[in-house]
Amino acid sequence: MALKAVIFDMDGVLVDSEGFWAKAELEVFSSYGVQITDELAAQTKYMTTKEVTEFWYGKFPWENLDVPSVEHEVVSKVIELIQTENCTMSGIQEFVKDLKNKEYKIGLATNAPLRVADAVLEKLQIRDYFDTVHSSEFEEQGKPHPAVYLTAAQKLGISPEHCIAIEDSHSGLKAAKAAGMKTIVFTNNDQSIDFEQADFKIKDFKEGLLPVLIH
């Protein structure tokens, strides 16, 4: 494989922010009368923010405020948590800089809104290393649909077969695979994670990318 580009997922890869979404959704949706249960919340885990908001509105319709306004509140709360909490994945800045020094193209493909991605890259101070940043909010469907990855590759000017995606979820890996890319699952040292559909595994970003591709 002639690897030319590395495309990152964001939540759970660049930052440990999965819990921020759950916290923000619980706080905001509950304030509008939504009765969140673990069973229902599990159905929304890999949806886009727009899809999640529409899901809860469908279950518990609120009054006097449109769906986009409530979605905006959730996103703003997540950004606030990202900016104020310690959520940086250990070693990620050095990992990205090393890729750039090796002259790989670097992209970001996320289901989260673009303004969340901008907040993350600003927090990590790695925005200048990314050649493209793309969000599913600009696609008709989010992951596991491959659109966000296909567009990211197109923006990079790199064919998908020369791209590798770094993901932490089945949904994201499925999207990257469907786009025709090689995949790496990032486990963050969680030994219980073993996604068979991933081509490679990274336990910790301090490992670097080279040992992964050698194996």
Side-chain angles (χ1 to χ4, degrees):
M1 178 184 65
L3 179 63
K4 298 179 180 179
V6 180
I7 303 179
F8 290 84
D9 175 41
M10 185 183 72
D11 291 304
V13 175
L14 297 184
V15 285
D16 187 8
S17 54
E18 303 284 359
F20 295 168
W21 289 98
K23 183 176 181 179
E25 289 167 11
L26 179 62
E27 182 177 312
V28 174
F29 294 140
S30 295
S31 72
Y32 293 106
V34 172
Q35 297 171 28
I36 294 180
T37 64
D38 290 342
E39 184 179 358
L40 287 174
Q43 298 178 38
T44 71
K45 190 170 183 182
Y46 298 117
M47 293 181 182
T48 64
T49 322
K50 180 175 183 287
E51 290 169 341
V52 172
T53 311
E54 289 173 344
F55 173 88
W56 288 117
Y57 181 75
K59 298 288 185 186
F60 302 95
W62 51 79
E63 298 178 355
N64 304 321
L65 201 61
D66 60 16
V67 169
S69 296
V70 176
E71 178 193 354
H72 189 275
E73 281 189 44
V74 172
V75 172
S76 295
K77 182 63 180 177
V78 170
I79 289 173
E80 177 189 325
L81 291 167
I82 286 168
Q83 291 171 336
T84 57
E85 300 287 337
N86 180 18
C87 58
T88 303
M89 286 295 182
S90 179
I92 187 62
Q93 290 106 326
E94 293 76 12
F95 186 87
V96 171
K97 290 174 187 176
D98 186 51
L99 292 176
K100 182 55 69 175
N101 288 337
K102 289 180 169 62
E103 299 185 345
Y104 290 111
K105 291 283 189 178
I106 302 177
L108 180 65
T110 178
N111 265 0
L114 190 60
R115 64 192 187 104
V116 180
D118 287 339
V120 166
L121 295 178
E122 182 179 342
K123 181 185 182 75
L124 302 185
Q125 297 184 317
I126 55 174
R127 181 65 181 86
D128 291 345
Y129 296 103
F130 280 76
D131 298 289
T132 193
V133 178
H134 188 54
S135 164
S136 292
E137 71 175 311
F138 301 109
E139 305 289 352
E140 289 189 10
Q141 292 179 267
K143 302 173 189 178
H145 193 278
V148 68
Y149 274 112
L150 290 170
T151 301
Q154 184 179 28
K155 287 184 171 184
L156 289 172
I158 305 292
S159 179
E161 62 261 31
H162 297 299
C163 298
I164 195 163
I166 303 180
E167 277 281 355
D168 70 317
S169 71
H170 285 289
S171 175
L173 289 168
K174 185 177 179 181
K177 280 287 189 182
M181 299 180 183
K182 291 290 187 181
T183 57
I184 298 171
V185 60
F186 171 67
T187 69
N188 196 23
N189 292 307
D190 185 343
Q191 295 183 358
S192 68
I193 295 176
D194 187 19
F195 293 164
E196 291 182 357
Q197 74 263 48
D199 297 294
F200 307 100
K201 181 191 290 187
I202 288 180
K203 294 180 290 185
D204 189 310
F205 283 118
K206 293 175 183 176
E207 294 179 10
L209 186 63
L210 189 59
V212 174
L213 300 183
I214 288 174
H215 289 94

